[in-house]
Amino acid sequence: MAVNQTREQWGSKLGFILAATGSAVGLGNLWKFPYITGENGGGIFVLIYLVCIAVVGIPVFLAEVMIGRATQSSPVVAFDKLSNASKTNWNFVGWIGVFSGFIILSYYSVVAGWALNYTLMSISHFFDTLSPDKISQTFDVLYASGDINVFWHAVFMLLTVGVVYGGIKGGIEKWSRILMPLLLGILVVLFFYAMTLDGFGRSFKFLFYPDVSKLKPSGVLEALGHAFFTLSLGMGAIITYGSYLSKKEDLVKTSVIIAVLDTAVAIIATLVLFPIIFTFGYEPQAGPGLLFKTLPIIFSQIPGGMILSIIFFLLVVFAALTSGMSLLEVVSANFIDLLGWGRKKAVLIMGSIIFIIGIPSALSGSGAIFKNWEVIYGINFFDTVDYLASNWLLPIGGLLIAVFTGWFMDRRVRENEFMTGTSFGRGYKYWLFLIRFVAPVAVFIIVLQRVGFINIDKLFSW
Ligand code: TRP
């Protein structure tokens, strides 16, 4: 293990908050949350999601920051250091995280590439001249165009590498300080626009008036799984970001602030999208195509739609970039800490490897590679890696992190990390209860459902 020379640190507390919020706010908030809320009946889903963030998301988030700050190390080395007390070595949890980082960024970058593509398409007045059918078909054409997908994937990876190459303060923090305020600003502008639309009232009601009859038990699990994804939990991204924090910070308060910001962005994004959709006669159950198929149609029909479309897709690009940075940082920091590599070397090598692993995802709609993948495995390559990461790696990583922190971490270190700098010390025993019992049981049930051992809808047969 390499000795920790002088480790990089965040320049300020705000810098850390913006960077971690940047990691959390991503495609999960802008693309996934709106459509799963639409599919799961609105208000009741939002309510359950909020509960999941509070009782599982925040406690696990806090656990990850604690592990990072206590060890001042990225996940593999962090678990190495903390395992002394427990006799078994938990560094495999770190390795699962590093592996997940490779996989997630490799396809996340392809989706982010679509957003780059749509930004350019909006600028080139593309939508003005096409019929609604043509616009939504354009997405299918894009999906099937391997070369274009590889091109945008490369552009996104270059941007990500460019930022992380600059280091913590000079790269990730600097860019988060620029992109996050822009992102929040754009969101507020779009929100004011959405408020002027007729569909706003209906959207508001759809989101905030829970209709219990629409509740499906599997929706509960979906909400829980999404709470993990949206807070970037389960693979050590937050451990890594926490490792650049100083001992002074109040981790409890900071974690709550970040989770609240992330949730606010998801809800405001939904309050921007749904009024547009309702007002123009579409339904919110459009699924994953909501962002890239339905929305451009609407942009093409409203006055000023081109501008709205440009700023909207830029918003998506910024959000994806600040998340991509955190994924690349986990992987790079691992080799910096473990093998003593320089940052530049680590970032260039890892960025290139991830670019290469992403190529099959970028080509997967075109059939240019692994032509028979879908015939053999049932879903195409892109969907396979997404499924592998979101349904297996992250929940299992999250489960192990919760179990480790709750049951195996040295008690004094754990208590110390929680208490230093916080005025919420009284909360420790509640947090410990959540991390020991509630989080592991909840995640374990998700895992069972995801792998098909149980079917919660049948179990409760509502
Ligand atoms: N949280 C991001 C989103 O909502 C995605 C993400 C970034 C992520 N880093 C992660 C998910 C680490 C899991 C683990 O889009």
Side-chain angles (χ1 to χ4, degrees):
M1 198 194 313
V3 221
N4 255 329
Q5 306 102 341
T6 39
R7 190 175 181 76
E8 289 183 79
Q9 293 257 308
W10 301 108
S12 70
K13 183 165 130 184
L14 181 68
F16 167 73
I17 293 183
L18 290 176
T21 307
S23 169
V25 172
L27 299 167
N29 304 59
L30 303 177
W31 167 64
K32 204 164 172 203
F33 181 76
Y35 89 72
I36 57 178
T37 301
E39 285 175 343
N40 285 287
I44 187 71
F45 181 80
V46 173
L47 190 70
I48 294 167
Y49 168 78
L50 293 176
V51 173
C52 292
I53 292 282
V55 303
V56 180
I58 294 176
V60 175
F61 191 97
L62 184 52
E64 286 207 22
V65 199
M66 285 165 57
I67 293 175
R69 187 179 68 172
T71 56
Q72 299 281 299
S73 308
S74 51
V76 174
V77 177
F79 281 104
D80 260 334
K81 288 186 178 167
L82 292 174
S83 290
N84 296 339
S86 68
K87 296 192 189 71
T88 41
N89 196 330
W90 284 70
N91 74 5
F92 71 95
V93 182
W95 281 113
I96 298 178
V98 172
F99 181 67
S100 313
F102 277 110
I103 302 262
I104 297 176
L105 184 52
S106 79
Y107 74 87
Y108 202 82
S109 169
V110 175
V111 182
W114 296 340
L116 280 166
N117 169 78
Y118 273 81
T119 312
L120 185 70
M121 273 171 34
S122 330
I123 294 174
S124 64
H125 273 241
F126 182 78
F127 301 129
D128 293 357
T129 50
L130 290 184
S131 68
D133 277 353
K134 278 274 157 45
I135 293 176
S136 79
Q137 280 162 19
T138 304
F139 181 75
D140 303 322
V141 175
L142 171 69
Y143 191 59
S145 307
D147 43 4
I148 299 182
N149 278 298
V150 172
F151 171 73
W152 288 117
H153 165 51
V155 173
F156 185 79
M157 282 309 298
L158 275 176
L159 292 173
T160 311
V161 164
V163 172
V164 180
Y165 191 85
I168 298 306
K169 225 195 280 181
I172 296 179
E173 179 169 350
K174 181 174 126 197
W175 282 98
S176 301
R177 276 173 177 276
I178 299 171
L179 296 176
M180 290 312 288
L182 269 174
L183 184 149
L184 297 174
I186 292 177
L187 199 62
V188 170
V189 171
L190 290 173
F191 181 64
F192 281 119
Y193 166 75
M195 271 167 64
T196 66
L197 296 175
D198 295 340
F200 188 79
R202 187 168 154 214
S203 309
F204 196 84
K205 207 164 156 220
F206 184 74
L207 281 187
F208 296 113
Y209 287 80
D211 174 355
V212 183
S213 70
K214 290 194 179 141
L215 177 69
K216 274 195 313 212
S218 58
V220 178
L221 296 188
E222 180 131 27
L224 190 54
H226 187 64
F228 263 82
F229 187 83
T230 191
L231 290 176
S232 300
L233 300 175
M235 58 152 284
I238 302 304
I239 296 182
T240 308
Y241 274 17
S243 75
Y244 305 114
L245 269 178
S246 81
K247 295 281 177 196
K248 304 190 297 287
E249 305 309 345
D250 178 342
L251 298 187
V252 183
K253 193 167 113 198
T254 323
S255 303
V256 173
I257 292 176
I258 294 164
V260 168
L261 283 172
D262 180 71
T263 306
V265 170
I267 289 182
I268 295 174
T270 315
L271 278 175
V272 168
L273 290 180
F274 281 7
I276 302 180
I277 288 162
F278 283 140
T279 306
F280 296 91
Y282 293 86
E283 285 303 316
Q285 292 88 352
L290 193 66
L291 205 59
F292 294 113
K293 286 182 153 181
T294 316
L295 214 54
I297 298 181
I298 297 163
F299 285 145
S300 77
Q301 292 173 357
I302 54 186
M306 179 184 121
I307 295 292
L308 278 176
S309 178
I310 294 172
I311 63 175
F312 180 80
F313 285 110
L314 268 183
L315 173 77
V316 180
V317 170
F318 292 165
L321 185 56
T322 50
S323 297
M325 280 153 34
S326 76
L327 290 158
L328 182 57
E329 178 60 20
V330 174
V331 176
S332 308
N334 179 56
F335 292 92
I336 297 173
D337 290 352
L338 197 66
L339 304 178
W341 287 10
R343 165 166 294 273
K344 301 198 154 114
K345 173 179 167 190
V347 172
L348 289 176
I349 294 181
M350 295 306 141
S352 311
I353 295 177
I354 293 169
F355 170 67
I356 293 167
I357 310 179
I359 290 177
S361 287
L363 293 180
S364 87
S366 73
I369 192 173
F370 302 145
K371 199 157 50 66
N372 293 325
W373 188 284
E374 190 161 348
V375 180
I376 297 172
Y377 301 102
I379 44 179
N380 69 25
F381 184 83
F382 177 94
D383 293 333
T384 307
V385 279
D386 178 21
Y387 172 81
L388 185 70
S390 334
N391 293 354
W392 286 85
L393 296 171
L394 290 180
I396 289 175
L399 175 66
L400 292 168
I401 289 170
V403 169
F404 176 82
T405 318
W407 300 96
F408 292 90
M409 191 169 165
D410 185 319
R411 276 178 48 193
R412 279 157 315 181
V413 178
R414 183 174 63 209
E415 212 171 314
N416 238 331
E417 275 310 310
F418 188 99
M419 299 289 180
T420 334
T422 192
S423 44
F424 300 97
R426 273 166 298 127
Y428 181 72
K429 55 178 188 293
Y430 302 107
W431 168 78
L432 195 59
F433 176 77
L434 293 172
I435 205 81
R436 282 192 154 174
F437 301 102
V438 179
V441 169
V443 181
F444 191 62
I445 297 175
I446 308 190
V447 175
L448 289 183
Q449 162 93 5
R450 290 275 167 86
V451 304
F453 280 142
I454 57 171
N455 179 339
I456 198 119
D457 285 333
K458 282 221 188 90
L459 229 55
F460 286 86
S461 59
W462 281 350

